[in-house]
């Protein structure tokens, strides 16, 4: 008797378009039916982020040409770091784009101590909140090395009748409805997920559009590269030192750009592991849970990878307590994260 196999649902990510260009806008609109609450708000939000990314890209690309490189007058940001002028610019543009459309009700950024309320546009109340790091790795700007924007989108928890609250932002990463990054590299690429796989769009500067270039991205199961600031080796815990020794014994190549978006993007394409464990300076890790680790963990998991704290908790299950909370991270190819886990279990002095 002939058996019928059930066909997987066809989405725009899996449809073949021959050589036809699929722009980010077209892709977002045609994917709307995949969203649980398809009111068009999330579609609008992703488009706003795409527009802000193009504006930031324009400034990043001419950073050496105009007097925009260097430390801003505004002083330190919420985490006590020096703000770069381009950090401030990218932050302003993202906030502006999101405020103008009113597709979200509140924003949190690495560059702002507190959340920013967004006034309704045309009396329309939004159910979404957005978190971002407007320009991650910004210490690289002055030396022409790649930087990135990271974003996460959640549905608010509080009643839409009132202002958004900090609790709306303190949700675990599993509640993200969309997350992604923009890498301003040799070319500019926007990579995002809405929980239905990961797709990448490269900016074609000749037409000013992000075009689908990396359909349904899958991270390699294993890799040959590890990314960690090995300069802190002596400040790492024993289990981390043993794992790094093992990477060296196995002849894995060390690749560390010092710009998390760039390091993770390479790992997504070529395989590998990125580590930012506890150090003496940052006992809880350096990177921020809500707008750095969670969105990148969602992207990597959606591409088939894994992401844990170096205390072996799944990043996306962490319960946040503060907006600018830091977190340790081990993220990348599933086989390499599993290998790291085995080292931590074997050598850790801490009760797991
Ligand atoms: P930033 O948000 O202040 O730019 O810091 C985050 C960056 C990451 O992109 C990168 O992985 C890390 O800091 C590098 O830190 P270190 O110089 O300690 O290795
Ligand atoms: Mg950052």
């Amino acid at each position: 008797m002939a058996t019928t196999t059930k066909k997987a649902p066809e989405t725009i990510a899996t449809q073949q378009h021959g050589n036809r260009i699929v722009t980010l806008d077209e892709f977002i609109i045609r994917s709307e039916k995949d969203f649980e609450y398809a009111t068009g708000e999330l579609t609008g939000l992703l488009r706003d982020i795409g527009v802000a990314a193009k504006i930031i890209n324009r400034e990043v690309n001419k950073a050496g040409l105009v007097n925009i490189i260097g430390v801003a007058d505004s002083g330190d940001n919420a985490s006590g770091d020096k703000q770069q002028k381009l950090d401030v610019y990218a932050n302003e543009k993202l906030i502006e784009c999101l405020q103008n459309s009113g597709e979200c009700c509140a924003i949190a950024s690495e560059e702002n101590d507190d959340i920013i309320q967004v006034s309704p546009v045309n009396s329309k109340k939004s159910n979404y909140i957005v978190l971002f790091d407007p320009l991650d790795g910004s210490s690289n700007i002055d030396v022409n090395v790649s930087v990135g924007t990271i974003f996460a989108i959640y549905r608010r928890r509080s009643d839409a009748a009132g202002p958004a609250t900090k609790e709306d932002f303190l949700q675990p990463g599993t509640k993200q409805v969309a997350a992604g990054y923009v890498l301003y590299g040799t070319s500019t690429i926007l990579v995002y997920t809405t929980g239905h796989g990961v797709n990448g769009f490269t900016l074609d500067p000749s037409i000013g559009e992000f075009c689908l270039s990396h359909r349904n991205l899958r991270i390699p199961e294993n890799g040959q590269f590890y990314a960690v600031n090995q300069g802190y080796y002596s400040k790492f815990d024993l289990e981390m030192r043993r794992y790094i020794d093992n990477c060296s014994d196995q002849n894995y190549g060390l690749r560390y750009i010092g710009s998390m978006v760039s390091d993770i993007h390479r790992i997504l394409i070529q395989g590998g592991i990125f580590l930012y464990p506890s150090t003496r300076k940052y006992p809880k890790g350096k990177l921020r849970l809500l707008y750095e680790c969670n969105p990148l963990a969602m992207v990597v998991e959606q591409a088939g990878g894994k992401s844990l704290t170096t205390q072996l908790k799944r990043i996306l299950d962490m319960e946040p307590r503060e907006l600018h909370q830091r977190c340790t991270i081990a993220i990348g190819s599933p086989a390499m994260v599993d290998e790291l886990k085995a080292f931590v279990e074997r050598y850790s002095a801490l009760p797991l």
Side-chain angles (χ1 to χ4, degrees), residues 126-346:
S126 170
N127 285 305
Y128 290 97
I129 55 150
V130 181
L131 297 100
F132 51 78
D133 180 351
L135 214 55
D136 185 62
S138 52
S139 61
N140 284 316
I141 294 168
D142 289 1
V143 288
N144 242 336
V145 172
S146 306
V147 287
T149 297
I150 313 172
F151 62 90
I153 302 175
Y154 292 79
R155 283 181 70 83
R156 68 184 292 179
R157 281 170 158 169
S158 58
D159 193 315
T165 63
K166 205 172 256 184
E167 280 59 48
D168 290 326
F169 290 84
L170 301 182
Q171 301 190 51
T174 45
K175 298 286 183 196
Q176 290 171 110
V177 292
Y181 62 81
V182 185
L183 170 60
Y184 311 96
T186 41
S187 62
T188 296
I189 184 167
L190 187 153
V191 175
Y192 83 95
T193 178
T194 53
H196 300 273
V198 180
N199 291 284
F201 301 81
T202 302
L203 183 64
D204 180 342
S206 67
I207 57 169
E209 293 282 0
F210 282 105
C211 302
L212 182 59
S213 53
H214 296 68
R215 191 188 293 272
N216 199 16
L217 265 168
R218 302 297 297 166
I219 191 168
E221 173 69 21
N222 219 324
Q224 289 299 313
F225 298 114
Y226 68 111
V228 65
N229 192 334
Q230 202 150 334
Y232 304 149
Y233 179 88
S234 63
K235 323 264 182 329
F236 292 150
D237 293 333
L238 174 73
E239 63 274 18
M240 210 48 60
R241 282 184 271 138
R242 288 295 88 89
Y243 177 71
I244 291 169
D245 295 344
N246 171 68
C247 289
S248 173
D249 291 347
Q250 307 267 348
N251 281 332
Y252 295 158
L254 171 62
R255 297 281 185 280
Y256 189 71
I257 300 168
S259 171
M260 192 191 191
V261 175
S262 320
D263 279 312
I264 299 283
H265 185 68
R266 182 173 26 73
I267 287 167
L268 201 57
I269 306 285
Q270 297 184 331
I273 188 166
F274 173 93
L275 302 164
Y276 208 111
S278 321
T279 61
R280 264 176 234 151
K281 185 172 176 194
Y282 296 114
K284 293 180 178 165
K286 176 187 179 189
L287 300 170
R288 270 47 71 114
L289 174 63
L290 291 179
Y291 41 79
E292 293 178 331
C293 299
N294 269 340
L296 293 173
M298 183 178 182
V299 169
V300 166
E301 283 203 10
Q302 279 293 316
K306 291 191 177 175
S307 177
L308 303 174
T309 66
T310 55
Q311 293 73 39
L312 305 187
K313 292 206 172 70
R314 184 180 172 221
I315 293 280
L316 295 178
D317 287 333
M318 296 282 288
E319 286 289 343
R321 294 173 312 281
E322 294 164 29
L323 212 49
H324 299 285
Q325 186 170 325
R326 295 181 193 270
C327 163
T328 57
I329 189 165
I331 180 170
S333 292
M336 291 187 83
V337 176
D338 286 344
E339 192 179 29
L340 176 272
K341 183 168 178 270
F343 270 81
V344 175
E345 283 167 347
R346 188 157 161 206

Side-chain angles (χ1 to χ4, degrees), residues 57-70 86 141-142 144:
N57 177 66
R58 192 187 58 199
E59 291 309 305
V60 168
N61 279 334
K62 65 182 187 197
L65 297 173
V66 292
N67 184 24
I68 200 164
I69 305 183
L86 266 176
I141 294 168
D142 289 1
N144 242 336

